[in-house]
């Protein structure tokens, strides 16, 4: 878990903010603290949750949802990119962590290989009625059926129907800039946010050609600063180690593309942090899980659990629930 650097001023001081919100509870009065933002009205700070990109490693966002529910915390706002946009949309739509876990278990049950291998091997019914081979030059597969499945599972079509406000990050292919969606149709925005170059075809929406939001903002914690008192950012880029055999020292075509993409996202995140830090940043130590290794969900969750446990303790202390 990474905290604000001591030599950089914070956007606001958490202890001062919490002191201001807790004073009325003990019958004391105080003038508002400069820079402190309003809370829910019950003395608890508004929690913003930023869910990062990272392919299969983003399944670990589920553990964050479980931790928040154990603490009785409901995010005030969520922002998400790529897999973070998918998981954030499910949670913002009102699905519980238990329901999301059940959906994941259903999709990856009895899998012994990643879903792209399943698709290319022709074993459609085992996993992918949702992602179909593309007949366009822009990507290997299409995600229309998968997005339709998410829409059906949530019963939600538009941002305005969500129980928790959500911001989704995509990237304008031609303008080379981030595009933030928080109103209108939900699923075209999510589909654009997950459109990883080389894998999924770009998405044409609102007169833009859109691709993966991780190209411009892989962990969009900066979007939450003005509306939330405490911003929790979840970085699921994980780590990769050089292999000892020839195949791993010389990555295959897709592995080369995807890991290069991760290197770029890591660099963007580090540069963002030089300018501004979230209040809490966790980076689960998920090792040697490739972008499409959704079938390794048990290993992903096991590796991410210690960091999420630390987050739970940090929030419990912050909220006086320890």
């Amino acid at each position: 878990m990474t905290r604000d650097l001591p030599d950089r001023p914070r956007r606001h001081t958490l202890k001062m903010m919490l002191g201001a919100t807790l004073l009325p509870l003990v019958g004391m009065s105080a003038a508002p603290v400069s820079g402190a933002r309003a809370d829910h009205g019950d003395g608890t700070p508004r929690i913003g949750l930023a869910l990062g990109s990272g392919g299969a490693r983003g399944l670990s966002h589920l553990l964050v949802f479980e931790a928040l529910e154990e603490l009785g915390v409901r995010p005030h706002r969520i922002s998400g990119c790529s897999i973070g946009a998918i998981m954030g949309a499910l949670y913002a739509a009102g699905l519980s962590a238990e329901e999301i876990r059940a959906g994941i278990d259903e999709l990856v049950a009895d899998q012994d290989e990643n879903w792209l291998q399943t698709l290319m091997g022709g074993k459609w019914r085992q996993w992918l009625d949702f992602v179909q081979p593309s007949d366009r030059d822009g990507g290997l597969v299409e995600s229309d059926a998968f997005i339709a499945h998410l829409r059906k599972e949530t019963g939600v079509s538009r941002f305005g129907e969500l129980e928790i406000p959500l911001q989704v990050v995509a990237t304008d292919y031609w303008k080379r800039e981030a595009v933030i969606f928080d109103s209108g149709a939900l699923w075209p925005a999510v589909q654009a946010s997950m459109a990883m170059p080389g894998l999924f075809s770009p998405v044409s929406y609102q007169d833009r050609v859109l691709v993966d939001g991780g190209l411009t903002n892989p962990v969009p914690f900066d979007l939450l600063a003005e509306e939330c008192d405490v911003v929790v950012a979840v970085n699921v880029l994980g780590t990769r180690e050089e292999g000892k055999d020839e195949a791993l020292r010389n990555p295959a075509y897709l592995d080369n593309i995807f890991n290069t993409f991760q290197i770029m996202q890591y660099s963007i995140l580090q540069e963002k942090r030089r300018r501004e830090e979230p209040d809490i940043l966790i980076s689960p130590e998920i090792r040697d899980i490739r972008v499409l290794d959704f079938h390794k969900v048990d290993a992903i969750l096991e590796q991410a659990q210690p960091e999420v446990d630390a987050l739970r303790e940090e929030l419990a202390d912050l909220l006086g629930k320890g």
Side-chain angles (χ1 to χ4, degrees):
M1 184 177 303
T2 304
R3 309 294 300 178
D4 283 295
L5 300 179
D7 58 339
R8 292 175 182 263
R10 300 174 68 96
R11 293 190 314 274
H12 58 306
T13 303
L14 292 180
K15 290 184 178 179
M16 293 177 65
M17 183 273 294
L18 287 174
T21 57
L22 292 176
L23 279 175
L25 301 181
V26 293
M28 299 177 66
S29 61
V33 177
S34 176
R37 293 188 289 272
D39 54 42
H40 286 292
D42 60 358
T44 59
R46 301 173 301 178
I47 304 294
L49 183 61
L51 304 175
S53 62
R57 295 178 291 269
L59 296 178
S60 59
H61 291 315
L62 167 67
L63 299 178
V64 177
F65 302 154
E66 291 178 343
L68 293 176
E69 289 182 4
E70 289 176 19
L71 293 171
V73 173
R74 177 185 175 91
H76 180 67
R77 301 183 71 89
I78 298 174
S79 63
C81 171
S82 201
I83 185 68
I86 296 171
M87 298 292 282
L90 294 175
Y91 202 60
L95 272 65
S96 67
E98 181 180 5
E99 289 170 324
I100 296 172
R101 182 183 281 268
I104 292 171
D105 289 343
E106 181 180 353
L107 288 179
V108 301
D110 301 322
Q111 286 290 294
D112 57 3
E113 58 188 11
N114 74 50
W115 61 260
L116 187 59
Q117 291 171 324
T118 298
L119 176 64
M120 296 307 178
K123 293 178 282 186
W124 289 82
R125 293 296 175 184
Q126 191 176 7
W127 209 88
L128 287 194
D129 283 333
F130 304 124
V131 182
Q132 302 170 355
S134 177
D135 58 1
R136 298 190 289 160
D137 293 334
L140 293 176
V141 292
E142 300 291 346
S143 56
D144 293 351
F146 177 63
I147 290 296
H149 169 73
L150 297 179
R151 183 186 300 113
K152 179 180 178 181
E153 288 298 304
T154 60
V156 168
S157 297
R158 303 183 67 80
F159 280 92
E161 300 174 271
L162 296 172
E163 294 186 7
I164 301 172
L166 173 70
Q167 293 170 290
V168 169
V169 182
T171 298
D172 188 306
Y173 182 86
W174 294 113
K175 292 185 178 180
R176 304 177 180 180
E177 63 185 16
V179 182
I180 313 302
F181 295 97
D182 59 7
S183 62
L186 170 64
W187 297 110
V190 173
Q191 187 173 21
S193 184
M194 63 174 273
M196 180 178 293
L199 179 61
F200 292 111
S201 300
V203 173
S204 296
Y205 181 57
Q206 294 186 351
D207 296 323
R208 297 176 181 264
V209 177
L210 300 167
V211 291
D212 198 306
L215 288 163
T216 47
N217 197 348
V219 188
F221 59 82
D222 50 304
L223 305 183
L224 302 173
E226 294 303 317
E227 297 293 332
C228 300
D229 302 305
V230 179
V231 175
V232 177
V234 187
N235 164 33
V236 293
L237 292 175
T239 60
R240 295 294 302 276
E241 295 181 1
E242 183 179 0
K244 296 181 180 179
D245 57 55
E246 186 68 19
L248 291 177
R249 286 200 303 270
N250 297 282
Y253 175 74
L254 285 178
D255 211 24
N256 183 36
I257 290 177
F258 297 151
N259 199 46
T260 301
F261 189 43
Q262 303 289 307
I263 293 170
M264 180 198 68
Q265 292 180 91
Y266 179 81
S267 297
I268 293 172
L269 176 58
Q270 293 302 98
E271 185 59 34
K272 281 182 59 180
R273 293 182 58 205
R274 289 189 177 94
R275 300 194 308 271
E276 179 181 14
E277 288 272 347
D279 299 302
I280 300 174
L281 170 65
I282 68 168
S283 298
E285 296 183 10
I286 305 172
R287 301 173 302 280
D288 293 326
I289 298 292
R290 293 178 295 180
V291 168
L292 303 180
D293 282 348
F294 290 92
H295 62 295
K296 296 183 178 180
V297 57
D298 291 339
I300 293 167
L301 298 182
E302 181 180 357
Q303 292 185 46
Q305 190 67 63
E307 189 77 353
V308 177
D309 288 344
L311 170 65
R312 184 189 295 105
E313 294 177 6
E314 184 81 10
L315 287 176
D317 289 342
L318 182 67
L319 300 173
K321 298 184 179 184

